[in-house]
Amino acid sequence: METNDSFWNAIDRIVSESKIIIDRPKGAVHPKFSDFIYRVDYGYLDNTSSMDGDGIDVWVGTDERKQVDAIMCIVDLMKRDSEIKILIGCTENEKEFIYQTHNETDYMKGILIRRL
């Protein structure tokens, strides 16, 4: 699959021009599902909006370079919506966890698109 530089440049721009808010740090318990523990920092880009009306979701990993390296495209059958989640500085293990997180139930499915 070919890369689309203008798409990734647009994502880089919105990330660089936005403040990252981590509202669910690594180790936090999900507010609705007490058996789910975040293993990667999770939050959103301040002053942005996504399909659910909240800020654009981000997963922020432990790679110190903090580069946008992938996105997850999600379909949520319970909320009946879809959206993307931007992965910033995620290791391969963190990407695998994120992928599994968005595919472990029948109600949510996602694909991981890596930046080449």
Side-chain angles (χ1 to χ4, degrees):
M1 173 183 263
E2 290 187 37
T3 61
N4 184 329
D5 290 337
S6 60
F7 173 79
W8 292 107
N9 290 339
I11 294 220
D12 287 338
R13 182 174 174 183
I14 201 163
V15 169
S16 70
E17 293 176 354
S18 302
K19 180 178 180 183
I20 297 173
I21 306 294
I22 301 298
D23 58 351
R24 298 179 192 169
K26 182 178 180 177
V29 176
H30 191 282
K32 294 181 183 175
F33 306 104
S34 60
D35 59 338
F36 182 81
I37 307 294
Y38 287 88
R39 293 175 32 202
V40 178
D41 287 341
Y42 184 76
Y44 62 94
L45 299 176
D46 199 23
N47 293 316
T48 63
S49 62
S50 62
M51 292 300 294
D52 63 6
D54 294 330
I56 297 171
D57 294 328
V58 294
W59 289 97
V60 181
T62 57
D63 186 325
E64 293 177 4
R65 293 175 288 170
K66 299 297 183 218
Q67 295 176 334
V68 173
D69 47 16
I71 60 170
M72 283 291 305
C73 295
I74 308 299
V75 174
D76 187 324
L77 298 172
M78 289 187 85
K79 292 184 350 187
R80 301 190 55 78
D81 73 359
S82 66
E83 60 183 321
I84 69 162
K85 297 173 187 294
I86 301 172
L87 281 64
I88 303 169
C90 293
T91 66
E92 286 305 310
N93 285 341
E94 291 165 335
K95 287 180 187 135
E96 180 62 25
F97 165 74
I98 294 163
Y99 176 82
Q100 293 301 325
T101 296
H102 292 294
N103 284 285
E104 64 189 5
T105 72
D106 291 335
Y107 302 107
M108 183 181 294
K109 296 298 173 195
I111 60 170
L112 177 71
I113 301 174
R114 286 180 166 80
R115 186 177 200 164
L116 302 176

